[in-house]
Amino acid sequence: MEYLSEDHANLLLAKEWLVKVDNDTSTPYLFKFYASTVDLTCIILITDTKSVWGEVLSSNQIARRWRECNQHDAAAPASQADEESWRANCLEFLAVLHSLGGVAELNFELAKSKYSDLAFELRSDPFRWRWETFNVGPKLSATILSKHLIMPLISVTHLAFSSPEVIGSLSEIELEKSTDRIGRIARRTVDTHVKSTLSKPIVATTLRRMTAVFNFVPEPPRIVADVRAPELIPPSPPAASRAALESPLRRATSPSSTLRKLSSAEGSSAEVAARPTPPQLPQDDDSVTEEEPDEDESPPPIRKGKDAAKDQRSVITSTGSPTQSAPSKRATPDQPLPPKSYESRTQSPSDSSSLHPLPKKPKRASEAATSSDEESQTERRIRASQVKSTARRGVKQPIKRGGRRF
């Protein structure tokens, strides 16, 4: 069995619409029929303007359907030639039956079927025919309705409203000429044709009123033959009130807001001043980094008794406060010395100028000689030079004494 396709639907473009009504449901059905005696096939297309169904019958299916519907013609012909001639006659009869004059003499009735989507029968006194149609789908249905119904009706509407004479009073030849002229113009520029037809005020308002009346609208709109072009000026936003404009100015000039801004500015300046700034030590041009003392160096001798007390008093008197015992690391150019305390940063210039540097640490050359007699004179000179270079950078406290560095 072959289903209806778009190619089959194109064969029906030159066929007229036939109309029958189902008396039980009061539904009108529009259908088209095509028959070919060359390949002995026939096509039926039927729609209720919402869905589309169709069926394609071959030569064998036509003969089988005929014998099923008409039992008095069930006897088979004697030869194959007689069979083909009989099938051709059946197609010709079906073509006459599915015409404007023949369909008016037929009774239309929907039938129940287990094999199709929509089945209907066409009856007359000596004859009965049955169609078993199938739904063609929404996409093909829209294409078929547009080609076979909607676009032709738009062109006929254009012809009816643009003709200077009444179409019903025209002769067949004149109407054919007018139709051909409108159709040739429409197929060249379909978009312009549809726009020029439906944008006419009289056509658009007539179609609007017909739609409203057809669908039971209580007050259908009036038909207008001419309309005026409106002024397309967009509305401007509403103006702000005077109180809304003055309120932000008052808030900006209020004394409370000014005081809040001043207090916040003072707080931020105090925070910036309170941030510690690490001191920058002068660097020697001779070396970039400072070498750590060797592990085999002996620590300086710890002073006991009066000498230790004198050194501690001299440190206290020079700094003004006792030093805190905390381990310190040797400073390098990449790692500056730790920042001073808040009291030392807030001291007056006179106090800072009165501070005296701590006494330099005595050289370790003689003490290293007592700890290790095996070291040579060259190594002692190297250590002495290292001590001198470190002494130029700043005062260095002994490692194990834990003195504070400044």
Side-chain angles (χ1 to χ4, degrees), residues 41-211:
T41 58
C42 63
I43 302 170
I44 187 70
L45 173 69
I46 183 171
T47 178
D48 60 349
T49 67
K50 300 175 183 178
S51 301
V52 179
W53 301 269
E55 185 181 15
V56 180
L57 295 179
S58 62
S59 176
N60 294 333
Q61 291 172 341
I62 292 170
R64 189 181 307 112
R65 183 74 58 82
W66 189 285
R67 290 187 174 95
E68 289 176 357
C69 294
N70 303 280
Q71 297 294 332
H72 56 277
D73 295 336
S79 62
Q80 184 68 24
D82 296 339
E83 177 70 20
E84 291 181 359
S85 177
W86 175 75
R87 291 180 180 181
N89 293 333
C90 291
L91 275 178
E92 291 177 358
F93 180 77
L94 288 175
V96 173
L97 200 67
H98 293 79
S99 63
L100 290 172
V103 76
E105 304 296 331
L106 297 176
N107 296 324
F108 180 85
E109 182 182 354
L110 294 179
K112 294 181 180 180
S113 176
K114 298 180 180 179
Y115 312 104
S116 62
D117 298 328
L118 180 67
F120 62 96
E121 292 182 356
L122 301 174
R123 293 173 177 269
S124 63
D125 290 338
F127 175 77
R128 183 174 71 94
W129 184 257
R130 182 184 181 93
W131 288 105
E132 300 278 353
T133 60
F134 298 89
N135 197 307
V136 299
K139 185 176 181 180
L140 185 57
S141 298
T143 304
I144 290 173
L145 291 176
S146 176
K147 283 185 177 181
H148 292 260
L149 192 61
I150 297 175
M151 293 303 297
L153 285 178
I154 292 175
S155 300
V156 171
T157 303
H158 178 76
L159 176 62
F161 280 89
S162 62
S163 177
E165 300 179 3
V166 180
I167 294 178
S169 63
L170 295 175
S171 62
E172 296 176 358
I173 298 175
E174 292 176 351
L175 187 57
E176 286 179 2
K177 291 179 180 179
S178 300
T179 303
D180 295 344
R181 179 175 55 83
I182 296 297
R184 284 192 295 266
I185 295 173
R187 70 187 180 186
R188 285 198 298 266
T189 54
V190 179
D191 52 347
T192 306
H193 171 66
V194 174
K195 179 182 177 182
S196 62
T197 302
L198 298 180
S199 61
K200 292 179 180 179
I202 190 169
V203 176
T205 54
T206 302
L207 188 61
R208 176 186 63 180
R209 187 174 181 88
M210 182 62 70
T211 305

Side-chain angles (χ1 to χ4, degrees), residues 194-241:
V194 174
K195 179 182 177 182
S196 62
T197 302
L198 298 180
S199 61
K200 292 179 180 179
I202 190 169
V203 176
T205 54
T206 302
L207 188 61
R208 176 186 63 180
R209 187 174 181 88
M210 182 62 70
T211 305
V213 172
F214 191 80
N215 292 279
F216 305 99
V217 176
E219 296 180 0
R222 298 181 61 84
I223 296 176
V224 181
D226 191 13
V227 294
R228 295 183 303 172
E231 296 181 359
L232 301 177
I233 301 175
S236 58
S241 61

